[in-house]
């Protein structure tokens, strides 16, 4: 039958840059004479790399489409309505660029209300409604599916989520009401709170079915066809939809919300209002009417959109989604040389991780070398075992796993590097060792081979100084674990030429890393800022403040407390970084005496879990300095003092030209150290707390860039 009109022009749209998601409808005759379904497809006209989103014009057009469908349903022309997405994408929620342009609370409130009106229209249609979730469904994309009566999901869907609290928002188009009433408060809070608070973890299609979000799980190959057949069965009454019974017991809901609140306290230090608003909305969902719940979501959204935490989250999102894809200061990609074979010097854990990543992403030969055959065999064996594990998890086919394993070989001689286009050294963090390695490699490789170092703190310029071709040396500082951490610091030494640098960026892009250009300086970006942070915290503890108090100061700022982080990184590595920075900048970097003693005593961490819960190891406590006149600070004083030190160091790095702009500092801390989106990394936090102006005399970012426009 006829197709409803697509989105009409909206001359009043205050967001002219919106990429409109269209809502064309086609009639489908359902199998088994179940009637006619009006199938609405969300499609912005682009491929899967630009997902469907909901901006004001999209919501207005969706409302028009739904009103027309109601008229047809009332007339008996259609017996069901279905909603699906373009290939590989259902919808990923609100258009965040449009959200960022809201300048008044009334604007934000109307966006919230418009979304609720449209989704409520779906819920009120007089015929059964179905969401056929064929691809990624996040935020408003999941909420429009929840507004439908029934849901199918493809087994191939990689991402279903309500990520709003990760950014500084709440699921504000029904998510905080509909989801807990569908699957219960505990499961709902997994998506609304737990996953966003744990580095924005995604839920897959099969997991969504297990949680009760979807009614049926179908294979991707013929997903839409099978979804229509399933829907026909539901309409005809031949297919029964079974769902979990949701407890209405007040104590059950209170227990789930209380547990989630404790997690939020731990993760945010009560520094981000969004998850607390979400918890209140979920708690109220047990007894609220739909209209009251939607109105409460409207008010929460309007408040949060006009808060600096969300604006910092949107700024961070833009860094990760846009700036990361166009590295500031990077040379012309056309200058990059071809890379057809990679050599890795070293066969330890870091080197082996680099080899694994390289063979998976580049799919070219990778050769590891080390001092003896036993070490080489161990390194190559580790890579092979990891590939076998991926095959066992069905993330690699048997053929591909065998092919990749055949590409990874080892040798005890650097003659194996003769045909290499790129060498990455990952040996002991000692300048003399690295210089010797590069001298040996240069004697073997071609004149065009790029030499890369994975050093985390040493000078690229000094490392290359004695080579015949220092211009070919570039820093490629990966973060551990290599497969997980997105950041790659691409470091330019004094002699590094554009070809070597462009090759480094090209390889980083092929490895799917977030590449940031860094000028050669001690410890580069992340380790320098963390070094100043850790050095200041170490000095505070050495002066008499308990470790527990110092750690408590950073909830909501860093992904984990500083002394927990020391245990993860390893005290010897932290000490090495501290000594490097103290040697370079003795006026402000100090080496903690307590840290030095812990390393000398070979204590592996500051905390122990021998009682089941983490507590400061007593063997560490007795190693700490015992000042005769201890200075014991409160957590708020610790936080202020350390933020002041970070502001000072960040300004110095910008003045020295270590990076192109404050955005690169924030992008590095987000992708290399896990700093939170709602802080925008760190410079928006320093600006909004006034620390940047108190310490450096000026803001890092203009008002409105990562804060509410004035």
């Amino acid at each position: 039958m006829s197709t409803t009109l697509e989105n009409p022009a909206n001359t009043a749209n205050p967001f002219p840059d919106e990429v409109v998601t269209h809502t064309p409808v086609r009639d489908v005759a359902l199998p088994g004479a179940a009637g006619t379904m009006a199938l609405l497809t969300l499609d912005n006209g682009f491929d899967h790399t630009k997902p469907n989103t909901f901006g004001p014009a999209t919501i207005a057009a969706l409302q028009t489409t739904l009103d027309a469908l109601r008229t047809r349903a009332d007339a008996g022309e259609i017996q069901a309505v279905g909603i699906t997405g373009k290939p590989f994408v259902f919808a990923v929620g609100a258009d965040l660029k449009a959200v960022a342009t809201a300048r008044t609370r009334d604007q934000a409130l109307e966006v919230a209300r418009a979304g609720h009106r449209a989704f409520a229209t779906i819920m009120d249609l007089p015929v059964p409604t179905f969401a056929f979730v064929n691809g990624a469904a996040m935020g408003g994309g999941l909420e429009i599916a929840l507004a439908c009566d029934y849901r199918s999901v493809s087994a191939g869907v990689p991402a279903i989520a309500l990520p709003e609290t990760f950014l500084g928002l709440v699921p504000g188009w029904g998510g905080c009401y509909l989801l807990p009433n569908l699957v219960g408060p505990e499961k709902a809070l997994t998506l609304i709170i737990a996953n966003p608070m744990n580095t924005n973890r995604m839920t897959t299609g099969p997991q969504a079915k297990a949680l009760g979000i979807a009614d049926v799980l179908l294979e991707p190959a013929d997903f839409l066809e099978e979804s229509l057949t399933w829907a026909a069965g539901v309409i005809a009454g031949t297919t029964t939809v079974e769902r979990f019974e949701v407890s209405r017991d007040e104590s059950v809901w209170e227990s789930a919300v209380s547990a989630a609140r404790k997690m939020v306290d731990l993760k945010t230090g009560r520094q981000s209002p969004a998850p607390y608003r979400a918890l209140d909305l979920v708690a109220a969902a047990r007894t609220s009417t739909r209209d009251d719940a939607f109105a409460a979501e409207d008010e929460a959204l309007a408040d949060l959109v006009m808060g600096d935490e969300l604006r910092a989250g949107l700024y961070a999102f833009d860094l990760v989604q846009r700036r990361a894809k166009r590295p500031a200061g990077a040379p012309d990609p056309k200058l990059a040389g071809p890379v057809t074979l990679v050599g890795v010097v070293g066969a330890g854990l870091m080197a082996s991780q680099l080899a694994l990543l390289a063979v998976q992403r580049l799919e070219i030969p990778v050769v590891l070398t080390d001092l003896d055959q036993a070490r080489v065999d161990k390194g190559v064996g580790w890579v092979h075992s990891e590939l076998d594990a991926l095959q066992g998890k069905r993330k690699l086919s048997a053929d591909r796993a065998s092919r990749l394993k055949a590409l990874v070989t080892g040798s005890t001689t650097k003659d194996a590097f003769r045909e290499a286009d790129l060498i990455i050294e990952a040996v002991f963090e000692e300048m003399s060792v690295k210089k010797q390695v590069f001298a040996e490699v240069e004697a073997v490789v071609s004149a065009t081979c790029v030499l890369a170092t994975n050093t985390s703190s040493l000078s690229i310029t000094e490392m290359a100084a004695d080579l015949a071709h220092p211009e070919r040396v570039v820093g490629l500082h990966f973060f551990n674990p290599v497969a997980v951490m997105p950041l790659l610091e691409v470091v330019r030494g004094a002699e590094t030429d554009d070809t070597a640098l462009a090759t480094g960026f090209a390889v980083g892009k092929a490895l799917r890393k977030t590449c940031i250009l860094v000028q050669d300086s001690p410890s580069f970006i992340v380790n320098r800022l963390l070094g100043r942070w850790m050095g200041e915290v170490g000095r505070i503890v050495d002066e008499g403040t308990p470790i527990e108090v110092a750690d408590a100061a950073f909830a909501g700022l860093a992904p984990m407390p500083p002394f927990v982080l020391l245990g993860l990184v390893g005290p010897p590595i932290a000490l090495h970084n501290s000594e490097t920075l103290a040697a370079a900048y003795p006026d402000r970097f100090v080496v903690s005496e307590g840290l030095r003693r812990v390393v000398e005593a070979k204590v592996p961490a500051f905390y122990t879990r021998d009682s089941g819960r983490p507590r400061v190891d007593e063997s560490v406590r007795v190693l700490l300095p015992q000042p005769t006149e201890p200075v014991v600070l409160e957590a708020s004083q610790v936080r202020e003092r350390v933020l002041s030190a970070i502001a000072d160091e960040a300004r110095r790095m910008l003045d020295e030209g270590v990076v192109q702009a404050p955005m690169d500092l924030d992008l590095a801390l987000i992708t290399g150290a896990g700093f939170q989106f709602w802080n925008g990394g760190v410079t928006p936090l320093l600006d909004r707390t006034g620390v940047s102006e108190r310490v450096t005399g000026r803001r890092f970012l203009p008002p409105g860039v990562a804060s509410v426009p004035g």
Side-chain angles (χ1 to χ4, degrees):
M1 197 176 165
S2 62
T3 297
T4 61
L5 290 174
E6 293 195 27
N7 302 342
N10 185 354
T11 56
N13 182 17
F15 311 107
D17 294 333
E18 177 184 345
V19 176
V20 176
T21 296
H22 301 282
T23 54
V25 176
R26 64 186 175 95
D27 287 353
V28 177
L30 292 171
T36 298
M37 171 181 283
L39 181 62
L40 183 159
T41 301
L42 302 168
D43 190 348
N44 62 10
F46 294 88
D47 67 15
H48 67 280
T49 60
K50 188 181 283 290
N52 299 322
T53 56
F54 298 127
T58 298
I59 290 294
L62 175 64
Q63 184 69 63
T64 299
T65 299
L66 293 170
D67 289 342
L69 291 177
R70 182 178 185 98
T71 299
R72 295 186 67 201
D74 286 338
E77 295 179 14
I78 56 175
Q79 285 68 54
V81 170
I83 301 175
T84 192
K86 67 182 182 182
F88 308 111
V89 176
F90 189 71
V92 297
D95 184 337
L96 294 179
K97 289 186 292 184
V99 172
T101 60
R103 299 185 67 86
T104 67
R105 189 179 187 280
D106 286 345
Q107 272 186 327
L109 189 61
E110 179 49 36
V111 169
R113 288 172 174 169
H116 274 131
R117 281 195 297 271
F119 291 6
T121 302
I122 297 171
M123 299 174 71
D124 293 337
L125 287 172
V127 294
T129 54
F130 295 82
F132 304 141
V133 182
N134 64 306
M138 303 181 211
L142 177 54
E143 287 168 309
I144 196 172
L146 292 171
C148 295
D149 298 321
Y150 305 99
R151 286 157 293 280
S152 67
V153 66
S154 168
V157 173
I160 293 175
L162 291 173
E164 287 86 350
T165 56
F166 179 73
L167 290 171
L169 270 177
V170 296
W173 282 341
C176 288
Y177 174 74
L178 297 174
L179 188 58
N181 281 300
L182 175 68
V183 301
E186 184 177 357
K187 292 177 182 176
L189 288 168
T190 297
L191 267 75
I192 296 170
I193 297 294
N195 287 355
M197 293 294 103
N198 285 284
T199 63
N200 205 22
R201 185 183 299 151
M202 296 289 113
T203 296
T204 64
Q207 290 169 334
K209 172 61 174 71
L211 286 168
I213 297 169
D215 297 308
V216 65
L217 181 71
L218 300 171
E219 289 302 311
D222 51 0
F223 173 72
L224 183 56
E225 180 182 354
E226 289 300 311
S227 290
L228 292 170
T229 300
W230 170 75
V234 173
I235 294 168
T238 57
T239 297
T240 302
V241 173
E242 297 182 356
R243 291 180 178 164
F244 300 115
E245 182 179 352
V246 175
S247 172
R248 314 313 300 178
D249 189 318
E250 183 178 5
S251 65
V252 171
W253 286 64
E254 287 181 349
S255 176
V257 171
S258 176
R261 195 178 299 276
K262 290 177 182 177
M263 172 189 288
V264 173
D265 288 345
L266 180 65
K267 295 288 186 178
T268 73
R270 303 187 179 182
Q271 300 298 311
S272 176
Y276 295 99
R277 294 295 292 268
L279 287 168
D280 292 343
L281 291 167
V282 170
R286 184 180 70 88
T287 56
S288 287
T289 65
R290 186 189 78 183
D291 289 348
D292 286 346
F294 282 12
E297 288 182 352
D298 292 337
E299 296 298 323
L301 270 180
D303 289 344
L304 293 168
V305 166
M306 300 311 295
D308 284 341
E309 290 81 7
L310 171 65
R311 300 308 175 113
L314 296 176
Y315 160 84
F317 183 82
D318 187 73
L319 293 181
V320 171
Q321 293 297 313
R322 293 181 178 84
R323 190 176 183 89
K325 295 173 183 175
R326 295 183 292 274
D332 187 338
K334 294 177 183 177
L335 296 173
V339 177
T340 59
L341 188 151
V342 172
V344 181
V345 185
L349 181 57
M350 190 66 182
S352 299
Q353 289 184 78
L354 293 173
L356 176 64
L357 182 67
V359 76
Q360 283 183 279
R361 300 283 164 79
L362 304 181
E363 296 197 29
I364 60 176
V366 178
V367 181
L368 295 99
T369 66
D370 214 319
L371 298 175
D372 56 60
Q373 194 63 45
R375 297 184 196 189
V376 170
D377 291 344
K378 183 178 180 181
V380 173
W382 184 89
V383 176
H384 286 184
S385 67
E386 289 297 303
L387 292 170
D388 286 337
L390 290 171
Q391 180 189 338
K393 296 175 183 177
R394 297 186 177 180
K395 293 183 178 181
L396 286 180
S397 67
D399 286 347
R400 186 159 186 258
S402 296
R403 187 171 68 254
L404 295 181
K405 286 163 66 175
L407 291 171
V408 181
T409 58
S411 176
T412 57
T413 171
K414 294 181 177 62
D415 289 340
F417 293 156
R418 288 191 184 279
E419 303 300 321
D421 302 298
L422 173 69
I423 303 296
I424 306 175
E425 71 76 20
V427 298
F428 185 67
E429 191 78 344
E430 174 65 45
M431 181 61 77
S432 61
V433 175
K434 291 181 182 290
K435 293 184 78 166
Q436 179 183 346
V437 162
F438 273 165
E440 293 172 356
V441 168
E442 189 177 46
V444 173
V445 298
S446 70
T448 58
C449 181
V450 173
L451 307 184
T453 171
N454 184 49
T455 181
S456 60
S457 60
L458 301 178
S459 169
I460 309 301
T461 302
E462 182 181 350
M463 204 177 297
D466 299 334
L467 297 176
H469 295 285
E471 70 279 0
R472 68 163 85 191
V473 178
V474 63
L476 294 180
H477 178 214
F478 293 83
F479 287 73
N480 194 24
V482 173
V484 175
M485 300 303 291
L487 180 62
L488 176 61
E489 293 177 335
V490 182
V491 188
R492 182 169 209 156
E495 300 294 329
T496 306
D497 65 18
D498 282 351
T499 297
L501 197 64
T503 302
F505 274 102
V507 169
K509 181 179 180 180
L511 296 176
R512 303 176 200 167
K513 294 297 182 183
T514 296
C515 300
I516 299 178
L517 176 63
V518 189
Q519 297 302 319
D520 190 17
S521 62
S523 295
F524 316 131
I525 306 174
V526 173
N527 284 345
R528 179 165 167 183
L529 285 172
L530 291 185
R532 184 76 189 271
W533 173 41
M534 300 299 291
E536 197 65 31
V537 173
R539 175 160 32 193
I540 288 169
V541 169
D542 285 353
E543 290 171 352
T545 297
I547 287 176
E548 295 90 340
V549 174
D551 273 351
F554 300 100
L557 169 62
M560 63 184 70
F563 286 94
V564 174
L565 178 63
L566 277 175
L568 180 66
V569 171
I573 294 174
L575 179 62
H576 172 76
N577 186 53
S578 179
E579 290 172 339
T580 298
L581 287 164
Y585 309 110
D587 58 316
R588 59 190 187 278
F589 283 87
V590 297
V591 178
S592 163
E593 179 59 29
L595 175 60
R596 193 192 305 278
R597 293 178 185 178
V598 166
V599 173
E600 289 174 352
K602 297 183 179 179
V603 179
F606 284 74
Y607 283 84
T608 181
R609 289 181 175 269
D610 56 5
S611 60
R613 302 187 64 179
R615 63 177 180 82
V616 176
D617 192 326
E618 290 304 317
S619 66
V620 168
R621 212 183 291 278
V622 299
L623 290 169
L624 297 177
Q626 305 296 321
T628 55
E629 297 182 5
V631 178
V632 181
L633 302 181
E634 296 179 357
S636 60
Q637 294 172 305
V638 174
R639 185 182 178 93
E640 176 73 15
R641 184 164 145 184
V642 173
L643 286 178
S644 296
I646 292 174
D648 175 68
E649 200 60 35
R651 176 55 60 194
R652 290 173 186 267
M653 292 170 71
L654 291 167
D655 291 346
E656 293 168 14
V658 174
V659 291
Q660 303 284 306
M663 290 79 80
D664 293 322
L665 299 178
D666 293 322
L667 181 59
L669 287 174
I670 291 166
T671 58
F675 274 50
Q676 284 87 349
F677 270 48
W678 64 75
N679 288 328
V682 74
T683 68
L685 174 68
L686 297 172
D687 284 344
R688 78 169 176 248
T689 55
V691 172
S692 55
E693 291 179 275
R694 285 197 299 273
V695 174
T696 74
R698 54 188 166 136
R699 295 172 61 94
F700 286 100
L701 300 167
V705 171
S707 56
V708 177

